[in-house]
Amino acid sequence: MSTILFSQDKTAVEYINPFLGTEFFGHTFPGPALPNGMIHLSPDVATQGWNNAAGYVYQSSSIIGFSHTHWNGVGMTNGGDVLIMPTVDNKLRITPGSEENPDTGYRSCYSHEKEKSSPGYYQVKLLDYDVNVELTTTQRAAFHKYTFPKSGNSRIIIDLGHQLGDAKSDSSSRIKIINKTNIEGQRASGLGTVYFAIELSKPVKYFGTFDSDFVAPESGHGIFPYKNEESGTNIGAFLQFNTENNEEILLKIGISYVSIEGAKNNLNTEITHWDFEKTKEEAKNIWIKELQKIEVKGGTEDQKEIFYTAMYHSLLSQYISQDVDGKYFGSDKKIHTANNFNFYGSFSCWDTYRTQHPLLTIIKPEDINDYIKSIEEKVKNYGWLPAQHFMNVFGEAMVGDHLIPIITDAYIKGFRDYDIDFLYGAIIKKANENPRAPIPEYAGRSGLDYYKKLGYAPIDKVTEAVPNTLELAYDDWCIAQLAENLEKEDDKKAFNKRALNYKNVWDAETEFMRPRKENGNWLEEIGNNEQSIVKNGEHSYYRYFDPLIIGRRPNRHYTESNAWQYIWSVQHDVNGLINLFESDDKFTKKLDTFFEMSTDVSSPKYVGVVGTLGQYVQGNQPSHHVAYLYNYSKQPWKTQQRVRQLMDMMYQSGAGGLCGNEDMGSLSSWYIFSAIGFYPVTPGIPQYSIGSPIFDEVKINLKNGKVFTVKTKNNTANNVYIKNVKLNGKKYSKNYISHNDIINGSTLVFEMSDKPNKNRGTEDSDKPYSLSK
């Protein structure tokens, strides 16, 4: 399979820009990492605040150092374990200094003119020290190459107190200098422990440890020359060398969540030599192989940069957690072994179930069973089905129970190399029971007893009550899908009934999914209370219903959204939602208003969001499927126009190219699907809703050896509408294609126009699946 994009000279890997998303709020990082990698090595420029969630912001001017754990585009500030920084300085500095005054610490200024990144490789010149830094990785180990000037004060700082966010190192962190070329240790925090083992290509001349919390009266700082071991919170080590001009010092580091021995084994298995270029080239070749799975023809150079960088980010976003010998740290705080599969310790499933996981069922099917096996292992380790979680720590985040759609979508699409009966039992248990000790209270479905009794979560008892109801209704529909396939008829009926609970928060008068109290009354509208609310302060807004309010925890009624954005969160029963509006026309009119309305957000009751079109928010997941809903209301040409508009407006090349948090590949996966020409509105049903393709031709090279091809005729920037479609040479009127159409290697041909075809896709039989027929 060729890596050349048809007649183009550039390869797919050359289109990737790892800096895309590092400006504004994309929260991506530019450093090297591999698909599914445990290690994510990248420069850190700041550590605190939501803006610095990934450690790197393109507008920065100084670098603290290079740490080994980062999250791809999340909205939490976390990671940054085991920071390493090369310096050349007459004074030994053990704290980083500030962005405002970088000279007060070991951080260094840098320039984008002397910085570059590509898949598997990062390079930057540290201007304060005249040190050139090059980085590459394997899955569990990192390779650093530092080119020093001539100096007797060339140093490498290892700082275990460094952390992105507030999960500070605790007193059980330690570092030990074993000899002049080997260092090992562990960095411990409330999120767990990262063990590490370091090897140097050149023996150190001078060495020592430091504790920046220690202030000695006679010296004023906590530097301990020739001490080979330190434990505590803000600790580290310094390694000092005499270097000639342009002398290279290489550093290799392996990490593990199990033990120091595990870190050594990972390093010694994955990097057995001192050839930096060899490891760099191997990393590049891994990315070339992955990117061969989708080939595109046509489109602009910017569109290809956006597309292939999106593919890079999507493939980057699932992280293995086990060592090379299969050992991993379980959520029960014990060591387990993953036998013949990769164990994944983190699932950002509120973000990824909608787009990224469905994409991987097509382009990375070899990993799907391992994801589900990992979930199975977690349940066995802990005794309970988790939801969104990170670092295999059993603390759930976000609303809903969204490992269920990931399991269901995989099973429905034929991925079944795991114990589905065991998992199904865990799913049913969590859907019907509140957790009991020793399982923490937050590990169950929020408001479950109310949801079962009332058919909704009441706002006076449960925060984010409307999304709680809507998303659990979707999860229950997923359970019904599993029950049907497992021939459990009673469960199928029961959970299909619960899947209709979304109707219980529908307010026909306002035409919103509206917060409702335990007594059945709707949450009172602001109405005439506006004046008194303003007098009593902005948080008073959140005690009333206003469809435009995006609240703050713990007072918010909708999850990172407002009532306008959560009307549409009924992916499993769009026809049923249309019925609540009483007609296709009324539903479509509300959709039109959603995209076209403007809002004065100068009032303190509105919290800013990013990536907006009217009330649509591309920067947040609950909106992602909404442009495709016109396919259900017999006006598919409006889906085509909106999807193309969103791709053109919300995705750009360059550092500022993402309109919101990347969120573990979810924004990028949306673009990949939409650019090809379809989107998974309802994970759990093997269908994809048709949109508006942007490339002349796309080939998806499938694992089974077949090729799924999408061809687009008359494709221009203005020809956003579908004139007609053919599937395998036959005229095709439906507004969806099936998963089988893809994996069987079909050919889908779009003929485009600058005018909508209002006769195509307008029959009931052309609509995608809905629970309500």
Side-chain angles (χ1 to χ4, degrees), residues 53-276:
Y56 183 94
V57 179
Y58 195 77
Q59 299 94 321
S60 61
S61 59
S62 64
I63 286 175
I64 300 171
F66 309 93
S67 65
H68 294 78
T69 60
H70 296 83
W71 298 101
N72 181 27
V74 297
M76 64 179 184
T77 309
N78 179 253
D81 294 294
V82 193
L83 180 115
I84 299 178
M85 180 63 167
T87 68
V88 179
D89 200 340
N90 290 331
K91 181 178 180 180
L92 171 59
R93 304 173 195 269
I94 61 172
T95 57
S98 66
E99 290 182 272
E100 296 76 18
N101 297 294
D103 292 341
T104 60
Y106 58 68
R107 72 164 66 223
S108 171
C109 294
Y110 77 107
S111 166
H112 294 309
E113 283 71 35
K114 296 186 177 182
E115 178 189 36
K116 61 184 177 182
S117 180
S118 60
Y121 176 71
Y122 174 85
Q123 175 272 327
V124 69
K125 188 70 170 285
L126 300 178
L127 300 179
D128 290 354
Y129 306 128
D130 194 27
V131 174
N132 190 59
V133 175
E134 296 177 80
L135 309 173
T136 190
T137 68
T138 62
Q139 281 198 314
R140 301 170 180 86
F143 213 151
H144 301 232
K145 182 168 78 171
Y146 307 138
T147 304
F148 284 94
K150 181 178 177 62
S151 175
N153 295 311
S154 295
R155 299 189 185 94
I156 295 174
I157 305 296
I158 305 169
D159 191 343
L160 301 189
H162 174 84
Q163 170 71 29
L164 304 179
D166 297 323
K168 296 299 183 184
S169 179
D170 65 33
S171 59
S172 63
S173 295
R174 70 181 185 90
I175 191 166
K176 186 175 183 179
I177 301 170
I178 305 299
N179 54 45
K180 289 189 174 184
T181 57
N182 294 86
I183 301 95
E184 64 186 36
Q186 63 190 58
R187 186 191 178 277
S189 73
L191 293 176
T193 301
V194 177
Y195 301 91
F196 64 91
I198 294 173
E199 293 183 15
L200 298 166
S201 63
K202 178 177 180 173
V204 301
K205 182 176 179 61
Y206 308 127
F207 65 87
T209 64
F210 62 81
D211 182 346
S212 60
D213 290 333
F214 180 83
V215 179
E218 63 277 8
S219 63
H221 53 66
I223 297 174
F224 311 110
Y226 294 104
K227 187 178 180 182
N228 79 323
E229 190 168 5
E230 198 70 56
S231 62
T233 302
N234 292 308
I235 63 166
F238 67 91
L239 315 171
Q240 189 163 322
F241 310 84
N242 291 338
T243 57
E244 298 301 320
N245 192 40
N246 291 325
E247 181 176 350
E248 295 175 357
I249 296 180
L250 304 176
L251 180 152
K252 300 187 293 187
I253 175 172
I255 68 168
S256 168
Y257 295 107
V258 174
S259 65
I260 290 174
E261 288 304 313
K264 290 179 181 177
N265 193 26
N266 290 339
L267 175 57
N268 293 333
T269 301
E270 295 191 349
I271 309 180
T272 60
H273 52 80
W274 287 102
D275 189 340
F276 180 90

Side-chain angles (χ1 to χ4, degrees), residues 507-525:
D507 176 21
E509 183 177 349
T510 62
E511 292 187 335
F512 287 107
M513 299 294 180
R514 181 174 173 180
R516 196 172 185 180
K517 298 180 181 180
E518 184 182 12
N519 63 11
N521 294 336
W522 299 113
L523 184 68
E524 182 182 1
E525 290 187 84

Side-chain angles (χ1 to χ4, degrees), residues 316-519:
L316 192 66
S317 295
Q318 298 301 324
Y319 297 1
I320 59 170
S321 295
Q322 92 282 8
D323 292 342
V324 291
D325 60 5
K327 291 181 180 178
Y328 70 89
F329 186 76
S331 51
D332 57 357
K333 303 186 186 304
K334 298 177 182 179
I335 305 302
H336 301 272
T337 301
N339 293 311
N340 300 317
F341 74 96
N342 285 324
F343 179 81
Y344 294 83
S346 302
F347 284 95
S348 187
C349 52
W350 187 80
D351 307 302
T352 57
Y353 89 83
R354 309 164 198 263
T355 56
Q356 201 239 0
H357 277 282
L359 177 66
L360 296 178
T361 66
I362 299 172
I363 67 171
K364 209 149 172 52
E366 62 270 25
D367 292 340
I368 304 302
N369 282 310
D370 286 2
Y371 301 151
I372 313 303
K373 285 181 180 178
S374 298
I375 298 169
E376 180 184 339
E377 287 292 300
K378 292 167 190 285
V379 177
K380 289 177 179 177
N381 295 168
Y382 202 81
W384 195 258
L385 179 74
Q388 179 158 310
H389 61 284
F390 296 90
M391 298 289 292
N392 211 25
V393 176
F394 206 99
E396 298 187 355
M398 305 306 293
V399 68
D401 203 2
H402 294 321
L403 286 184
I404 294 174
I406 292 173
I407 296 168
T408 301
D409 197 52
Y411 190 83
I412 295 298
K413 291 175 178 176
F415 300 96
R416 300 182 178 182
D417 186 19
Y418 46 86
D419 189 344
I420 187 58
D421 292 325
F422 172 80
L423 277 173
Y424 183 78
I427 289 169
I428 292 294
K429 181 178 181 180
K430 189 177 181 185
N432 286 324
E433 298 179 17
N434 268 323
R436 298 290 181 261
I439 298 168
E441 189 171 352
Y442 55 74
R445 288 185 169 194
S446 176
L448 176 62
D449 289 341
Y450 298 110
Y451 176 83
K452 289 168 60 180
K453 178 182 177 181
L454 304 174
Y456 64 93
I459 192 60
D460 49 343
K461 300 295 182 181
V462 181
T463 191
E464 302 176 19
V466 173
N468 185 293
T469 302
L470 298 176
E471 299 200 31
L472 289 184
Y474 165 69
D475 293 329
D476 286 344
W477 170 82
C478 288
I479 296 174
Q481 293 298 109
L482 276 180
E484 180 175 7
N485 277 266
L486 297 174
E487 298 182 350
K488 298 181 183 294
E489 192 64 26
D490 290 344
D491 285 351
K492 172 189 170 183
K493 291 178 181 177
F495 283 96
N496 270 334
K497 182 179 179 180
R498 280 168 56 160
L500 299 175
N501 279 346
Y502 69 88
K503 296 181 179 181
N504 296 324
V505 290
W506 169 255
D507 176 21
E509 183 177 349
T510 62
E511 292 187 335
F512 287 107
M513 299 294 180
R514 181 174 173 180
R516 196 172 185 180
K517 298 180 181 180
E518 184 182 12
N519 63 11

Side-chain angles (χ1 to χ4, degrees), residues 67 119 190 207 213 224 252 293 324 333 360 380 432 523 575 589 613 637-638 644-646 679 727 746 752 760 768:
S67 65
F207 65 87
D213 290 333
F224 311 110
K252 300 187 293 187
K293 293 176 178 179
V324 291
K333 303 186 186 304
L360 296 178
K380 289 177 179 177
N432 286 324
L523 184 68
N575 276 353
K589 183 178 179 181
L613 179 66
W637 58 90
K638 290 188 177 180
R644 187 70 73 93
Q645 181 184 22
L646 291 168
Y679 179 83
L727 180 63
S746 302
M752 308 301 289
R760 186 199 163 276

Side-chain angles (χ1 to χ4, degrees), residues 307 310-311 314 351 354-357 359 595 616-618 620-621 623-628 639 642-651 659 662 665-681 692:
F307 183 86
M311 194 170 171
S314 296
D351 307 302
R354 309 164 198 263
T355 56
Q356 201 239 0
H357 277 282
L359 177 66
F595 282 105
Y616 179 92
V617 182
Q618 182 64 31
N620 209 18
Q621 287 70 25
S623 289
H624 278 181
H625 66 289
V626 181
Y628 289 88
T639 281
R642 288 297 181 200
V643 169
R644 187 70 73 93
Q645 181 184 22
L646 291 168
M647 283 190 282
D648 290 344
M649 287 182 61
M650 303 297 178
Y651 293 82
C659 64
E662 166 64 348
S666 63
L667 263 69
S668 287
S669 297
W670 184 97
Y671 185 86
I672 293 168
F673 271 124
S674 297
I676 294 172
F678 48 83
Y679 179 83
V681 170
S692 179

